[in-house]
Structures are given as structure tokens and as C-alpha cells.
Coordinates of all heavy atoms in Angstrom, one line a residue:
K1 N 129.1 42.5 93.9 CA 128.6 43.8 94.3 C 127.3 44.1 93.8 O 127.0 45.2 93.3 CB 129.6 44.9 93.9 CG 131.0 44.7 94.6 CD 132.0 45.7 94.0 CE 133.4 45.4 94.5 NZ 134.4 46.0 93.7
G2 N 126.4 43.1 93.8 CA 125.1 43.2 93.3 C 124.9 43.1 91.7 O 123.8 43.1 91.2
E3 N 126.0 43.2 91.0 CA 126.0 43.0 89.6 C 126.0 41.6 89.2 O 126.8 40.8 89.7 CB 127.2 43.7 89.0 CG 127.3 45.2 89.2 CD 126.3 46.0 88.5 OE1 126.0 45.6 87.3 OE2 125.7 46.9 89.1
R4 N 125.1 41.2 88.3 CA 125.0 39.8 87.8 C 125.3 39.8 86.4 O 125.1 40.7 85.6 CB 123.5 39.3 88.0 CG 123.1 39.3 89.5 CD 121.7 38.9 89.6 NE 121.3 39.0 91.0 CZ 120.9 38.0 91.8 NH1 120.9 36.8 91.2 NH2 120.6 38.1 93.0
A5 N 125.9 38.6 86.0 CA 126.3 38.4 84.6 C 126.1 36.9 84.3 O 126.2 36.1 85.2 CB 127.7 38.8 84.3
V6 N 125.8 36.6 83.1 CA 125.7 35.2 82.6 C 126.7 35.1 81.4 O 126.6 35.9 80.5 CB 124.3 34.9 82.2 CG1 124.2 33.4 81.7 CG2 123.3 35.1 83.4
R7 N 127.5 34.0 81.5 CA 128.4 33.8 80.4 C 128.3 32.3 80.0 O 127.8 31.5 80.8 CB 129.9 34.1 80.8 CG 130.0 35.5 81.1 CD 131.5 35.9 81.4 NE 131.9 35.4 82.7 CZ 133.1 35.4 83.1 NH1 134.1 35.8 82.3 NH2 133.4 34.9 84.3
R8 N 128.6 32.0 78.8 CA 128.5 30.6 78.3 C 129.9 30.0 78.1 O 130.8 30.7 77.6 CB 127.8 30.6 76.9 CG 127.7 29.2 76.4 CD 126.6 29.0 75.4 NE 125.2 29.4 75.8 CZ 124.5 28.6 76.6 NH1 124.9 27.5 77.0 NH2 123.3 29.1 76.9
T9 N 130.1 28.8 78.6 CA 131.3 28.1 78.4 C 131.4 27.5 77.0 O 130.4 27.3 76.4 CB 131.5 26.9 79.4 OG1 130.5 26.0 79.2 CG2 131.4 27.4 80.9
S10 N 132.6 27.3 76.6 CA 132.8 26.5 75.4 C 132.6 25.0 75.8 O 132.6 24.7 76.9 CB 134.2 26.7 74.8 OG 135.2 26.1 75.6
A11 N 132.5 24.1 74.8 CA 132.3 22.7 75.1 C 133.5 22.2 75.8 O 133.4 21.4 76.8 CB 132.1 21.9 73.8
A12 N 134.7 22.6 75.5 CA 135.9 22.1 76.1 C 136.0 22.7 77.6 O 136.3 21.9 78.5 CB 137.2 22.6 75.4
Q13 N 135.6 23.9 77.8 CA 135.6 24.5 79.2 C 134.6 23.8 80.0 O 134.8 23.5 81.2 CB 135.3 26.0 79.1 CG 136.4 26.8 78.5 CD 135.9 28.2 78.2 OE1 134.7 28.4 77.9 NE2 136.8 29.1 78.2
F14 N 133.4 23.5 79.5 CA 132.4 22.8 80.2 C 132.8 21.4 80.6 O 132.6 21.0 81.8 CB 131.1 22.8 79.4 CG 129.9 22.3 80.1 CD1 129.5 22.9 81.3 CD2 129.0 21.4 79.6 CE1 128.4 22.5 82.0 CE2 127.9 20.9 80.2 CZ 127.6 21.5 81.5
T15 N 133.4 20.7 79.7 CA 133.9 19.4 80.0 C 135.0 19.4 81.1 O 135.1 18.6 82.0 CB 134.5 18.7 78.7 OG1 133.4 18.6 77.8 CG2 135.1 17.3 79.1
E16 N 135.9 20.4 81.0 CA 137.0 20.6 81.9 C 136.5 20.8 83.4 O 136.9 20.2 84.3 CB 137.9 21.7 81.5 CG 139.0 22.1 82.6 CD 140.1 21.0 82.7 OE1 140.2 20.1 81.8 OE2 140.9 21.1 83.7
L17 N 135.5 21.7 83.5 CA 134.9 22.0 84.8 C 134.2 20.8 85.3 O 134.3 20.5 86.5 CB 133.9 23.2 84.7 CG 134.6 24.6 84.5 CD1 133.5 25.6 84.1 CD2 135.3 25.0 85.7
R18 N 133.5 20.1 84.5 CA 132.8 18.9 84.9 C 133.8 17.8 85.3 O 133.5 17.0 86.3 CB 131.8 18.4 83.9 CG 130.6 19.3 83.7 CD 129.6 18.9 82.6 NE 129.5 17.5 82.4 CZ 129.7 16.9 81.3 NH1 130.1 17.5 80.2 NH2 129.5 15.6 81.2
T19 N 134.9 17.7 84.7 CA 135.9 16.7 85.0 C 136.6 17.1 86.3 O 136.8 16.2 87.2 CB 137.0 16.7 83.9 OG1 136.4 16.3 82.7 CG2 138.1 15.6 84.2
L20 N 136.8 18.4 86.6 CA 137.3 18.8 87.9 C 136.3 18.4 89.0 O 136.7 17.9 90.1 CB 137.6 20.3 87.9 CG 138.8 20.8 87.1 CD1 138.8 22.3 87.0 CD2 140.1 20.2 87.6
L21 N 135.0 18.5 88.7 CA 134.0 18.2 89.7 C 133.9 16.7 89.9 O 133.5 16.2 91.0 CB 132.6 18.7 89.3 CG 132.4 20.1 89.5 CD1 131.1 20.6 88.7 CD2 132.2 20.4 91.0
G22 N 134.3 15.9 88.9 CA 134.3 14.4 89.0 C 135.5 13.8 89.5 O 135.6 12.6 89.5
D23 N 136.5 14.6 89.9 CA 137.7 14.1 90.5 C 137.5 13.3 91.8 O 137.0 13.8 92.7 CB 138.7 15.2 90.7 CG 140.1 14.7 91.0 OD1 140.3 13.6 91.5 OD2 141.1 15.5 90.8
P24 N 137.8 12.0 91.8 CA 137.5 11.2 93.0 C 138.3 11.7 94.2 O 137.8 11.4 95.3 CB 138.1 9.8 92.6 CG 138.2 9.8 91.1 CD 138.4 11.2 90.7
A25 N 139.3 12.5 94.0 CA 140.1 13.0 95.2 C 139.2 14.0 96.0 O 139.5 14.2 97.2 CB 141.4 13.7 94.7
L26 N 138.2 14.6 95.4 CA 137.3 15.5 96.1 C 136.6 14.8 97.2 O 136.2 15.4 98.2 CB 136.3 16.2 95.1 CG 136.9 17.3 94.2 CD1 135.9 17.8 93.3 CD2 137.5 18.4 95.0
D27 N 136.4 13.5 97.0 CA 135.7 12.7 98.0 C 136.4 12.7 99.4 O 135.8 12.6 100.4 CB 135.4 11.3 97.6 CG 134.5 11.2 96.4 OD1 133.8 12.1 96.1 OD2 134.6 10.1 95.7
D28 N 137.7 12.9 99.3 CA 138.6 12.8 100.5 C 138.8 14.2 101.1 O 139.4 14.3 102.2 CB 139.9 12.2 100.2 CG 139.8 10.8 99.7 OD1 138.8 10.1 100.2 OD2 140.6 10.3 98.9
V29 N 138.3 15.3 100.5 CA 138.5 16.6 101.0 C 137.5 16.8 102.2 O 136.4 16.5 102.2 CB 138.2 17.7 99.9 CG1 138.1 19.1 100.5 CG2 139.2 17.5 98.8
S30 N 138.1 17.4 103.3 CA 137.3 17.7 104.5 C 136.3 18.8 104.1 O 136.5 19.6 103.3 CB 138.3 18.2 105.6 OG 137.5 18.6 106.7
D31 N 135.1 18.7 104.8 CA 134.1 19.7 104.6 C 134.5 21.1 105.2 O 133.9 22.1 104.8 CB 132.8 19.3 105.2 CG 132.1 18.1 104.4 OD1 132.5 17.9 103.3 OD2 131.2 17.5 105.0
F32 N 135.5 21.1 106.0 CA 135.9 22.4 106.7 C 137.4 22.4 106.9 O 137.9 21.6 107.7 CB 135.1 22.6 108.0 CG 135.4 23.9 108.6 CD1 134.7 25.0 108.2 CD2 136.3 24.0 109.7 CE1 135.0 26.3 108.8 CE2 136.6 25.2 110.3 CZ 135.9 26.4 109.9
T33 N 138.1 23.3 106.2 CA 139.5 23.5 106.5 C 139.7 25.0 106.5 O 139.4 25.7 105.6 CB 140.4 22.9 105.4 OG1 140.0 23.5 104.1 CG2 140.3 21.4 105.3
K34 N 140.2 25.4 107.7 CA 140.4 26.8 107.9 C 141.6 27.0 108.9 O 141.7 26.3 109.9 CB 139.2 27.5 108.5 CG 139.2 28.9 108.5 CD 137.8 29.5 109.0 CE 137.8 31.0 109.0 NZ 136.6 31.5 109.4
N35 N 142.5 27.9 108.5 CA 143.6 28.3 109.4 C 143.1 29.4 110.4 O 142.9 30.5 110.0 CB 144.7 28.9 108.6 CG 145.9 29.2 109.4 OD1 145.8 29.3 110.6 ND2 147.1 29.4 108.8
M36 N 142.8 29.0 111.6 CA 142.2 29.9 112.6 C 143.2 30.9 113.0 O 142.8 31.9 113.6 CB 141.7 29.0 113.8 CG 140.7 28.0 113.4 SD 139.3 28.6 112.4 CE 138.2 29.0 113.7
Q37 N 144.5 30.8 112.7 CA 145.5 31.7 113.1 C 145.7 32.9 112.1 O 146.3 33.9 112.3 CB 146.9 31.0 113.3 CG 146.8 29.9 114.3 CD 146.3 30.4 115.7 OE1 146.7 31.4 116.2 NE2 145.4 29.6 116.3
A38 N 145.2 32.6 110.9 CA 145.4 33.6 109.8 C 144.2 34.6 109.7 O 143.1 34.3 110.0 CB 145.5 32.9 108.5
A39 N 144.6 35.8 109.3 CA 143.6 36.9 109.2 C 143.5 37.3 107.7 O 144.5 37.2 107.0 CB 143.9 38.1 110.0
D40 N 142.4 37.7 107.3 CA 142.2 38.3 106.0 C 142.4 37.3 104.8 O 142.7 37.8 103.7 CB 143.1 39.5 105.8 CG 142.7 40.7 106.7 OD1 141.5 40.7 107.1 OD2 143.6 41.4 107.1

């Protein structure tokens, strides 16, 4: 809503987020998945 904030991760949180990004399974995720029948 136009409000910006900056926060710092701990070393463990930063590693965890980078590990999630490095998961090889993300390579197999489709670029677009959407349920066209669902609303909201």
C-alpha cells in the first residue's frame, strides 16, 4: 500500500532463503500455473 520497509535477515535466514532458491526442483516448475476456474 505504498509503504516501504527494509529488514535484515539473520545469517541462518539468508542461507535458508538462498537454499530454497537453489533447489533443483525449481528448474522443473512451469513458468505459468493458474486455475482459470477459480476466482479471488
Side-chain angles (χ1 to χ4, degrees):
K1 299 175 188 160
E3 298 291 322
R4 296 175 186 245
V6 178
R7 298 185 285 170
R8 181 160 302 282
T9 63
S10 69
Q13 291 166 331
F14 190 50
T15 299
E16 174 71 13
L17 289 167
R18 290 177 36 237
T19 300
L20 290 170
L21 282 167
D23 191 334
L26 287 175
D27 295 340
D28 297 329
V29 171
S30 174
D31 287 343
F32 184 81
T33 57
K34 189 172 180 181
N35 180 346
M36 302 308 267
Q37 305 302 316
D40 296 331

